Amino acid sequence: MVLRICLVAAFSFALLGGCASSGNESIADASAQSVSEQLVKGKTTQVQVRQLYGDRIKTSFTDSGNESWEYEFSRLHSKPTNFIPYVNWIHSGAEGDKKSLVIFFNKSKVVQQYTVSTSKVDISQGLITR
């Protein structure tokens, strides 16, 4: 009986708890198609990009002096083992998706190229991490 109560409690915690997001929410639902509808290569300016997506997380420059802006958004949820006493010492963490938008500008501060990518994220901790 005690085991059954613990299992039900652990399952309930897994369903109810542990969601987190970070980064720029303006790209949370972005796809290659939606970005291509908003950004026009050779036409969209940095000012317009800032109005669409807000502040970037990272800025870098190429050897030729062109600028690139990077936007990121991650959505994670806790692994069910996080909520099981003692088991969480052996294995716990979070998993989810990370979305990235990188925009390259020419010297005139106009969009030259961009890329949208999505990847899986798996953060593990404890004695067994995989």
Side-chain angles (χ1 to χ4, degrees):
M1 182 68 173
V2 173
L3 179 62
R4 181 179 283 176
I5 292 172
C6 288
L7 288 175
V8 169
F11 184 71
S12 298
F13 282 125
L15 290 177
L16 296 175
C19 291
S21 62
S22 68
N24 190 317
E25 290 204 27
S26 66
I27 67 163
D29 298 319
S31 66
Q33 182 178 348
S34 67
V35 172
S36 71
E37 293 169 359
Q38 295 174 325
L39 300 180
V40 179
K41 295 175 188 175
K43 199 169 190 175
T44 308
T45 66
Q46 281 184 345
V47 172
Q48 293 168 319
V49 170
R50 185 173 278 125
Q51 289 171 346
L52 288 168
Y53 301 113
D55 291 329
R56 63 241 176 235
I57 194 165
K58 182 178 175 183
T59 302
S60 49
F61 296 89
T62 64
D63 292 341
S64 58
N66 294 341
E67 193 171 350
S68 68
W69 289 3
E70 187 172 338
Y71 295 87
E72 288 183 356
F73 181 78
S74 297
R75 185 175 287 132
L76 301 172
H77 57 275
S78 295
K79 293 181 178 180
T81 55
N82 291 3
F83 306 102
I84 304 172
Y86 304 109
V87 173
N88 59 8
W89 293 350
I90 298 169
H91 180 75
S92 62
E95 55 193 4
D97 296 310
K98 177 182 175 182
K99 193 164 291 198
S100 178
L101 169 63
V102 181
I103 306 168
F104 299 93
F105 298 95
N106 61 22
K107 289 182 182 178
S108 301
K109 300 189 183 294
V110 174
V111 173
Q112 180 179 351
Q113 188 64 266
Y114 58 86
T115 181
V116 179
S117 61
T118 303
S119 59
K120 295 287 181 191
V121 176
D122 186 347
I123 302 168
S124 295
Q125 60 188 25
L127 298 174
I128 302 172
T129 58
R130 273 263 170 214

